[in-house]
Amino acid sequence: MKILVISDIHANLEALEACLAAAPAYDRVFNLGDVVGYGASPNEVVNKSRELGGLLVRGNHDKACSGITNAEDFNHIAMVASFWTKETLTPENLKWVKELPKGPIKPEGVENVQCVHGSPLDEDEYIIIVRDAYEPILESREALTFFGHTHIQGGFSAEDDEWATLRPIYETDNESENFVYQMSRTAKYLINPGSVGQPRDGDWRAAFCVFDSDLWNITYYRVPYNVEQAQRRIYEANLPDRLATRLQEGR
Ligand code: ZN
């Protein structure tokens, strides 16, 4: 089975559309949360995510934008975007965001896999460096955990006492590319598809991955998208400028 794994779309319609256009044929979707927040197309992205369906997990921005948590706990820019998103979402879409389930969630019909937004131990925790991965990997029963939240494509692996940080290697910084990573059947993994709508790993291209559960491999993708259009929408919505400028920096 081939599974499209997307995360942290953050209401960036142009990036999501580019990912869907670049993705190969797939059987299902895992969507790891932060569907909204930051970007200027929350309704369009929620509609698309509802249409895609599959397994969904809520992110911290989904919680703040739908009033589950207090957006005032965010930094100023994220808070402004949260309040704007809450006002902009249609009542039906707001309800959908609010009802997104908390991770970890195990997909039906796929063995040894779970999906989370931040960490299997805490949905809001960031797994940034390999040290952060120790506890979640050691405590987890599943061989493979898909996570997002950091907006950094790659992940971590553990086999016996060998710990490693995984980062896909690309040849260009502005073309559509992919990178295949073959997993071992005897190791444990935390795999991050990267952020569709607001990458922070220094690469502005939209990120996602495809998991082949039969071949037990991950294909990471980076795809260029119409960043100017996504920025224009942010300016037109009067959202903070930084939300637009950071898109082309990938930070
Ligand atoms: Zn996020």
Side-chain angles (χ1 to χ4, degrees):
M1 193 185 295
K2 279 192 175 178
I3 298 155
L4 174 71
V5 188
I6 51 178
S7 189
D8 299 278
I9 306 166
H10 283 288
N12 186 336
L13 179 66
E14 288 72 23
L16 177 59
E17 283 180 338
C19 290
L20 296 174
Y26 53 84
D27 306 297
R28 323 172 45 166
V29 177
F30 294 169
N31 185 336
L32 310 180
D34 277 3
V35 175
V36 296
Y38 295 139
S41 304
N43 283 306
E44 295 83 347
V45 165
V46 167
N47 292 339
K48 200 92 208 155
S49 298
R50 294 174 68 169
E51 203 180 299
L52 289 171
L55 181 152
L56 288 133
V57 183
R58 70 182 185 187
N60 53 320
H61 286 261
D62 303 321
K63 287 193 288 181
C65 292
S66 62
I68 293 176
T69 53
N70 189 354
E72 284 168 17
D73 293 340
F74 271 157
N75 66 54
H76 184 73
I77 289 176
M79 183 189 77
V80 169
S82 277
F83 287 131
W84 179 87
T85 302
K86 194 174 181 188
E87 277 171 23
T88 304
L89 282 171
T90 65
E92 198 193 336
N93 282 341
L94 184 66
K95 183 171 182 283
W96 181 86
V97 171
K98 195 169 189 170
E99 289 173 355
L100 286 170
K102 178 183 179 182
I105 295 177
K106 285 176 54 60
E108 272 175 50
V110 191
E111 300 280 296
N112 304 315
V113 174
Q114 66 182 348
C115 294
V116 303
H117 181 66
S119 155
L121 304 176
D122 176 348
E123 62 176 340
D124 295 333
E125 193 179 306
Y126 290 89
I127 304 174
I128 300 168
I129 56 171
V130 69
R131 178 69 189 84
D132 304 330
Y134 290 177
E135 246 194 294
I137 284 190
L138 291 172
E139 303 252 326
S140 138
R141 287 165 184 263
E142 312 306 331
L144 173 56
T145 301
F146 287 103
F147 75 108
H149 198 35
T150 63
H151 301 205
I152 297 169
Q153 191 179 49
F156 304 95
S157 68
E159 181 147 34
D160 302 321
D161 285 335
E162 295 268 331
W163 292 81
T165 300
L166 316 172
R167 288 296 296 271
I169 297 160
Y170 297 109
E171 283 166 15
T172 75
D173 56 15
N174 56 5
E175 284 171 35
S176 193
E177 290 186 72
N178 64 62
F179 179 87
V180 181
Y181 178 73
Q182 182 59 54
M183 295 185 286
S184 151
R185 298 269 180 186
T186 50
K188 285 172 93 177
Y189 294 93
L190 277 163
I191 296 290
N192 190 330
S195 169
V196 171
Q198 196 199 76
R200 290 180 202 156
D201 48 12
D203 188 332
W204 68 278
R205 294 173 292 183
F208 66 97
C209 76
V210 172
F211 164 49
D212 189 317
S213 62
D214 302 310
L215 299 176
W216 203 246
N217 71 19
I218 303 287
T219 306
Y220 293 102
Y221 287 81
R222 291 314 276 242
V223 294
Y225 71 97
N226 191 342
V227 70
E228 294 82 7
Q229 176 65 25
Q231 290 176 318
R232 210 171 301 133
R233 287 184 201 267
I234 287 170
Y235 294 129
E236 280 168 8
N238 274 320
L239 284 161
D241 286 4
R242 178 67 192 137
L243 292 174
T245 55
R246 71 184 305 173
L247 292 180
Q248 81 211 41
E249 296 165 18
R251 299 211 180 271

